Amino acid sequence: MALLQSLRMVLAPPHPAGRPFIIGGAVVAVVGGLLLGSWLFWLAAAFTAFCFYFFRDPERVTPDRPVIVAPADGRVVSVEPAVPPAELGLGPAPRWRVAIFLSVNDVHINRSPVEGVVTRIAYRHGKFVSANLDKASDDNERNALAIRMPNGQDVAVVQIAGLVARRILCFVREGDSLRAGERFGLIRFGSRTDLYLPEGVRPLVGARQLMVGGETVIAELAPAAPKPATADVAPGSVL
């Protein structure tokens, strides 16, 4: 069963964002192979196979309870208090930040960690230092989202380019509603995703732990308080 699940993840259909690379590689393999020989065919075929693997987009099952889930696959490189990016306007108070490093072998689809409304999207140019370094959060090119949950709390998710990654894709706009685990972006080819938890919420994960985007629980949220029961009273009656 575990082997079957692994094969399903590896052979998952690619995200549409990868189609230009896959089709382009296939065309070069066929045309270039016919014109310039087998060496170009095999080189382009290897590139096509890599893109098919890199852009894979497996389905995920998000827990159906009040939790914050991982926004990306990868390995946690740090869990520490930090101030969210200033461009999001979430204030100067530090909150817990979980930084996830995505290698080229990880699924690179970004998923919403919570249900909520995108209140702010801010893109900032920057450097391309290795995404597993702590300074990548501040120095690298990034795209930051603020998401407001139904209870009024805010979380922030930051897509960060890495040493190889040169393109950040965001599929949503300000004002869009997201379900927990819903796809909202993609980074290619190797990157980092930072998650800033709401104030007062502590993470349940630690450094070096592996994440599965849309499934791994990073923090628990307090369940919504039940509405007080009210008795049905007929108009004009006296209690």
Side-chain angles (χ1 to χ4, degrees), residues 165-187:
R166 299 286 164 155
R167 181 63 170 158
I168 298 173
L169 302 179
C170 184
F171 311 143
V172 299
R173 298 180 179 179
E174 293 179 2
D176 286 353
S177 296
L178 292 172
R179 303 183 308 274
E182 184 176 351
R183 302 164 179 83
F184 75 84
L186 168 72
I187 319 175

Side-chain angles (χ1 to χ4, degrees), residues 52-167:
F52 197 97
Y53 172 76
F54 178 85
F55 287 103
R56 67 196 186 279
D57 184 13
E59 295 296 329
R60 296 288 164 78
V61 180
T62 302
D64 186 19
R65 66 181 196 274
V67 295
I68 299 175
V69 296
D73 288 38
R75 187 179 297 275
V76 176
V77 291
S78 69
V79 180
E80 59 187 5
V83 177
E87 59 265 28
L88 290 180
L90 296 181
R95 52 178 73 191
W96 283 101
R97 181 184 70 195
V98 178
I100 303 171
F101 173 70
L102 295 77
S103 73
V104 293
N105 294 317
D106 291 311
V107 173
H108 272 61
I109 300 295
N110 287 132
R111 298 172 182 269
S112 179
V114 294
E115 175 189 0
V117 176
V118 180
T119 58
R120 176 74 172 154
I121 299 177
Y123 181 81
R124 198 198 74 170
H125 292 283
K127 300 178 181 178
F128 295 96
V129 301
S130 180
N132 62 346
L133 299 177
D134 203 43
K135 63 180 180 179
S137 294
D138 298 320
D139 296 344
N140 279 22
E141 185 167 319
R142 68 191 186 209
N143 185 63
L145 291 80
I147 303 173
R148 180 157 296 168
M149 296 185 290
N151 64 5
Q153 291 181 300
D154 294 303
V155 300
V157 186
V158 187
Q159 301 170 281
I160 302 173
L163 185 64
V164 180
R166 299 286 164 155
R167 181 63 170 158

Side-chain angles (χ1 to χ4, degrees), residues 208-232:
R208 302 184 66 185
Q209 188 171 342
L210 291 175
M211 299 288 102
V212 177
E215 291 190 355
T216 303
V217 174
I218 285 186
E220 298 276 356
L221 294 171
K227 295 182 179 179
T230 57
D232 293 330

